[in-house]
Amino acid sequence: MKELILIAIGSALVNNVVLSQFLGICPFLGVSKKMDTAAGMGGAVIFVITISSFLTSLIYNYILVNLHIEYLKTIVFILLIAALVQFVEMFLKKTSPSLYKALGVYLPLITTNCAVLGIALTNVQNDYGILTSVVNGFATAVGFTISIVILAGVRERIEYNDIPDSFKGTPIVLVTAGLMAIAFMGFSGII
């Protein structure tokens, strides 16, 4: 249990997928303009990364390893993640049209989010079992959500500040993301 807690804290804060591993930068910068869209993207990422961590670990440990075709893991994981996102999209469209409309564009964006594939490969690389993979995936997605929501909050407040013209738009967002990465480095003393 102690190991799972350390993995969860490490994945969410210390080794934040966006701010220290630099995975998932596209949605981090592109969807963080408003708090509600950032929270929606974060929720969708939590769901997809957690489920994909479970499924990729299951397939790797019980199919690819048994058939001695571990070298196909990247291709299999990409196909699985794309299929999972499509399945989630179809399921939400049928069962909850209002939630489907609210998430709309965010679900297809998750397919191209390199953080989802990165976590699946990290789980395999670290020889995590199924439970540990799920905990790592969930904690990583929570860390992604924390960082994107914080950036969205800062970006909303930046709109009302007087910023030099040369820093308006993308430059101030990149400076803010850099400062957030430095701030998250402070969590490295926890573990």
Side-chain angles (χ1 to χ4, degrees):
M1 186 64 172
K2 181 181 177 183
E3 180 184 339
L4 292 177
I5 292 171
L6 289 174
I7 288 172
I9 292 171
S11 296
L13 299 175
V14 178
N15 298 318
N16 187 288
V17 71
V18 176
L19 300 174
S20 69
Q21 296 178 19
F22 308 112
L23 296 173
I25 295 290
C26 292
F28 177 69
L29 296 175
V31 186
S32 62
K33 293 180 182 175
K34 301 284 181 201
M35 287 283 287
D36 56 342
T37 57
M41 181 62 154
V45 166
I46 287 173
F47 181 77
V48 170
I49 287 182
T50 304
I51 299 298
S52 70
S53 293
F54 172 73
L55 292 176
T56 55
S57 179
L58 197 68
I59 287 173
Y60 182 79
N61 290 324
Y62 294 109
I63 296 175
L64 297 180
V65 170
N66 288 339
L67 296 174
H68 304 292
I69 53 173
E70 297 94 347
Y71 57 89
L72 292 175
K73 67 181 174 263
T74 304
I75 295 169
V76 171
F77 291 175
I78 289 171
L79 293 172
L80 181 70
I81 290 165
L84 176 65
V85 171
Q86 290 302 313
F87 175 74
V88 169
E89 190 172 3
M90 289 185 316
F91 178 77
L92 286 177
K93 190 174 185 177
K94 281 275 192 202
T95 59
S96 179
S98 59
L99 181 59
Y100 174 76
K101 277 188 176 180
L103 292 177
V105 147
Y106 308 122
L107 283 174
L109 281 177
I110 295 170
T111 304
T112 60
N113 188 344
C114 58
V116 181
L117 178 62
I119 297 313
L121 293 173
T122 300
N123 289 338
V124 168
Q125 181 182 7
N126 292 334
D127 285 331
Y128 287 159
I130 293 173
L131 177 63
T132 310
S133 293
V134 171
V135 168
N136 182 48
F138 177 76
T140 300
V142 168
F144 175 85
T145 303
I146 289 169
S147 59
I148 197 170
V149 167
I150 289 173
L151 183 63
V154 170
R155 286 180 78 172
E156 283 184 354
R157 295 187 61 103
I158 284 176
E159 288 181 24
Y160 302 110
N161 292 331
D162 187 28
I163 297 173
D165 289 338
S166 60
F167 276 101
K168 286 186 180 176
T170 304
I172 193 68
V173 174
L174 293 175
V175 168
T176 304
L179 291 173
M180 284 176 59
I182 292 170
F184 269 67
M185 284 177 54
F187 290 120
S188 62
I190 292 175
I191 297 179

